[in-house]
Amino acid sequence: MKSFCSKSSFLLLAILLVTNCLDIEAQRCSPSGRIRGQKPPPGQCNSENDSDCCKQGKMYTTYKCSPPVSGQTKAYLTLNSFEKNGDGGAPSECDNKFHSDDTPVIALSTGWFNKKSRCHNNITISANGRSVVAMVVDECDSTMGCDSDHDYQPPCPNNIVDASKAVWKALRVPHDSWGGLEIKWSDA
Ligand SMILES: *[C@@H]1O[C@H](CO)[C@@H](O)[C@H](O)[C@H]1NC(C)=O
Ligand SMILES: CC(=O)N[C@H]1CO[C@H](CO)[C@@H](O)[C@@H]1O
């Protein structure tokens, strides 16, 4: 009886360890795949404001997950237009509408967008000694790219807050530094 008990508790411990390791694995957020870049049809990729266009034959990593969210989630802030004919491509994923770049609106990488669960929620973005509240309206697609729906731009990295110029203005980032900045964000 005694040996049975210790065997079963060993088994329990082993199960706990394995599930624990799987949890940690899930949080690590590994790539989900890769796509091969297609050359954009003539005049198709809007490279305005330093937007990246896909390169023929280049491999791009895709993600279905983003790093875990904390009260101070580290991210990389980029610049996007949410207006019609802007560099954002299709209308916003949350409401199928375009948005004025003079309002603080953002797109989140696929994992953080979390199947529209943050749509129209606000997040607080902190950087440059300031903070700004911005509304989630779109997905920065980490799973796909290099097609007409994504303006022939590569898939989004998994740690992006892609923001309208109103956000950059509110953070008082000098205009010539707009486009790429380490930030922290939290759900507002
Ligand atoms: C987010 O902020 C906007 C603008 O202040 C507001 O209209 C909206 O209701 C807020 N969203 C939520 C979910 O509170
Ligand atoms: C979002 C953003 O800043 N868009 C700008 C991109 O560049 C064009 C042309 O320089 C500007 O008119 C947009 O406002």
Side-chain angles (χ1 to χ4, degrees):
M1 205 50 172
K2 199 170 183 207
S3 80
F4 170 78
C5 276
S6 62
K7 253 186 211 155
S8 65
S9 50
F10 175 76
L11 191 66
L12 196 67
L13 188 67
I15 290 169
L16 279 173
L17 278 174
V18 167
T19 48
N20 217 6
C21 290
L22 287 175
D23 273 354
I24 290 164
E25 190 58 40
Q27 297 211 337
R28 211 175 273 144
C29 183
S30 310
S32 59
R34 298 200 303 166
I35 55 172
R36 187 179 293 275
Q38 311 270 3
K39 195 175 171 194
Q44 284 298 297
C45 184
N46 185 343
S47 59
E48 144 177 314
N49 316 103
D50 299 328
S51 291
D52 224 11
C53 295
C54 290
K55 293 191 177 61
Q56 178 79 43
K58 186 172 171 186
M59 299 305 292
Y60 297 93
T61 305
T62 58
Y63 291 89
K64 287 182 179 157
C65 52
S66 292
V69 174
S70 68
Q72 291 274 291
T73 310
K74 274 196 204 165
Y76 194 67
L77 191 72
T78 52
L79 176 66
N80 186 42
S81 172
F82 296 82
E83 296 183 354
K84 199 167 198 274
N85 302 318
D87 63 0
S92 294
E93 195 67 30
C94 288
D95 50 14
N96 204 32
K97 286 181 182 156
F98 293 100
H99 294 267
S100 164
D101 291 331
D102 294 323
T103 58
V105 288
I106 55 150
L108 291 175
S109 294
T110 293
W112 290 337
F113 188 68
N114 192 17
K115 302 186 180 85
K116 297 193 179 181
S117 74
R118 285 197 167 81
C119 273
H120 297 134
N121 284 6
N122 293 303
I123 68 164
T124 304
I125 297 167
S126 305
N128 202 32
R130 298 178 187 276
S131 64
V132 54
V133 174
M135 187 159 63
V136 180
V137 296
D138 207 355
E139 173 175 13
C140 192
D141 198 335
S142 314
T143 69
M144 287 188 290
C146 305
D147 57 18
S148 64
D149 233 25
H150 301 87
D151 214 14
Y152 293 94
Q153 291 171 13
C156 201
N158 66 0
N159 64 339
I160 296 295
V161 174
D162 199 16
S164 65
K165 65 174 193 259
V167 170
W168 287 89
K169 222 178 239 178
L171 291 172
R172 306 235 183 124
V173 176
H175 195 271
D176 50 2
S177 304
W178 286 10
L181 184 68
E182 307 261 345
I183 59 140
K184 285 180 178 162
W185 70 271
S186 60
D187 290 302

